[in-house]
Amino acid sequence: MGFVVGLDAGGTATRAVVLDLDGTRLGAGVAGGANPNSHPPSRAASQIGDALRAALEGLDVRKVQSGVLGMAGSSKLTDPDVAALFQKAWAGAGLRCPMRVVTDCEAAFAAGSASPDGTVVVAGTGSVAARIVDHGLRDTTGGYGWLLGDEGSAFWMGRSAVRDTLGQLETDEPLSALAEAVLGMSLVETAPRRRMWSRLITVVNSVPPIGLARYAPLVSAMAADQDPHALDIVDAAARLLADMTMAAREPRERTPIVLVGSLVGPSSPVGDRLRSLLRARTGAVVRVAAEAAAGAAWLAALEVLGPTAPRPT
């Protein structure tokens, strides 16, 4: 019996899954972020290779019949030079089947629903909502990247937290728990407020902009402790993601909605708020997909087995 392989390449991490054709998981691998819009393409391609090799370790790579790469920033592969780097990484892992590239949206929806049609919301380092028709991408809302959008994403939340902290430092009011946490993570020592303000700006601007996403977990943690500044950011993020979702759907549509990403999981305050908003606005089934790489692998299995392809176990 042959194998299939699926990958989910995001801005922060890349995950690979190998499945038997009966849906049994045979291997998994994790590497760093591989979005070629957030990382140098050569580095992104290298992460693809690392994740594949880890997932395929100990397996007969010759048995892999189909593979799907679900990737944020997949449009970058329209550049022949970038595509060549990824093809080299694919072949370097020993794969001889074609590398089929889909968006992270298609892989994420397949991970959360066997339905051919619906809506998916990806909210991790970046954010995007998409309409899925016959397992393929039809339309998107958002997904412009950190420079042009990514509203409601971990990047957006982290930037909001830093901006909120800077705003507090410009006043004489007591600092919130969120502001204290941001300053602590940034290793900004206690000093006159103007000095802390200047130091925080320097620290944040000394790393790549996408690094702002690392502050997002602070927002979630402080929201759980009922910090009002964190709660405001969580509520704003959920509303932005809900608006994005509705823009990707037809009026009165009842197809499933799949949520995926670090911000919308079962224990996330943004996810809790978003699910509540979507159920109230649509009445649709809202599901959470834990692993987009498994969805990509299932799409690969569909190519081999058609509609009879079993869901991953």
Side-chain angles (χ1 to χ4, degrees):
M1 184 176 288
F3 306 154
V4 293
V5 63
L7 294 97
D8 171 38
T12 303
T14 300
R15 292 176 172 81
V17 169
V18 181
L19 302 178
D20 209 332
L21 288 178
D22 64 2
T24 302
R25 184 183 302 253
L26 301 176
V30 180
N35 181 339
N37 287 322
S38 303
H39 305 279
S42 58
R43 176 63 177 164
S46 175
Q47 302 287 17
I48 294 294
D50 289 347
L52 280 171
R53 281 187 288 272
L56 290 163
E57 185 176 2
L59 299 175
D60 185 352
V61 70
R62 295 172 298 179
K63 291 186 176 181
V64 178
Q65 297 184 26
S66 179
V68 170
L69 167 60
M71 187 172 66
S74 58
S75 61
K76 192 76 171 180
L77 269 67
T78 57
D79 182 331
D81 292 335
V82 175
L85 291 171
F86 279 76
Q87 289 287 354
K88 182 178 179 180
W90 187 265
L95 295 174
R96 295 296 176 264
C97 62
M99 181 182 72
R100 179 187 167 203
V101 180
V102 302
T103 65
D104 54 339
C105 295
E106 290 161 283
F109 185 78
S113 176
S115 171
D117 308 318
T119 309
V120 61
V121 184
V122 182
T125 305
S127 64
V128 65
R131 184 182 179 201
I132 303 296
V133 177
D134 194 22
H135 301 295
L137 184 69
R138 174 67 62 86
D139 302 301
T140 61
T141 302
Y144 305 148
W146 65 265
L147 182 61
L148 299 176
D150 279 351
E151 290 83 1
S153 67
F155 167 82
W156 183 92
M157 287 180 64
R159 184 182 63 179
S160 296
V162 171
R163 293 181 66 177
D164 184 81
T165 300
L166 291 169
Q168 292 184 54
L169 289 171
E170 293 169 348
T171 74
D172 294 326
E173 297 297 318
L175 295 178
S176 70
L178 176 61
E180 295 283 6
V182 167
L183 292 169
M185 177 174 280
S186 306
L187 302 179
V188 175
E189 298 179 355
T190 302
R193 288 201 173 192
R194 195 64 184 179
R195 187 177 301 172
M196 289 193 289
W197 179 90
S198 178
R199 179 59 181 160
L200 179 57
I201 291 174
T202 299
V203 168
V204 169
N205 282 288
S206 67
V207 298
I210 201 68
L212 280 165
R214 73 189 180 103
Y215 294 97
L218 295 182
V219 179
S220 296
M222 294 303 103
D225 290 339
Q226 300 302 304
D227 177 86
H229 292 259
L231 287 170
D232 285 346
I233 294 173
V234 163
D235 186 66
R239 290 185 180 280
L240 286 167
L241 292 171
D243 291 345
M244 191 183 301
T245 306
M246 298 307 296
R249 291 172 69 80
E250 294 290 333
R252 296 178 294 279
E253 185 174 344
R254 292 294 183 268
T255 59
I257 299 173
V258 172
L259 310 180
V260 67
S262 58
L263 285 189
V264 292
S267 59
S268 163
V270 175
D272 290 342
R273 180 67 176 133
L274 177 59
R275 285 187 288 277
S276 177
L277 289 171
L278 291 177
R279 289 182 181 121
R281 293 189 190 185
T282 69
V285 173
V286 181
R287 299 181 177 132
V288 177
E291 194 175 23
W298 183 65
L299 290 175
L302 285 177
E303 293 187 343
V304 178
L305 300 175
T308 62
R311 299 288 290 173
T313 58

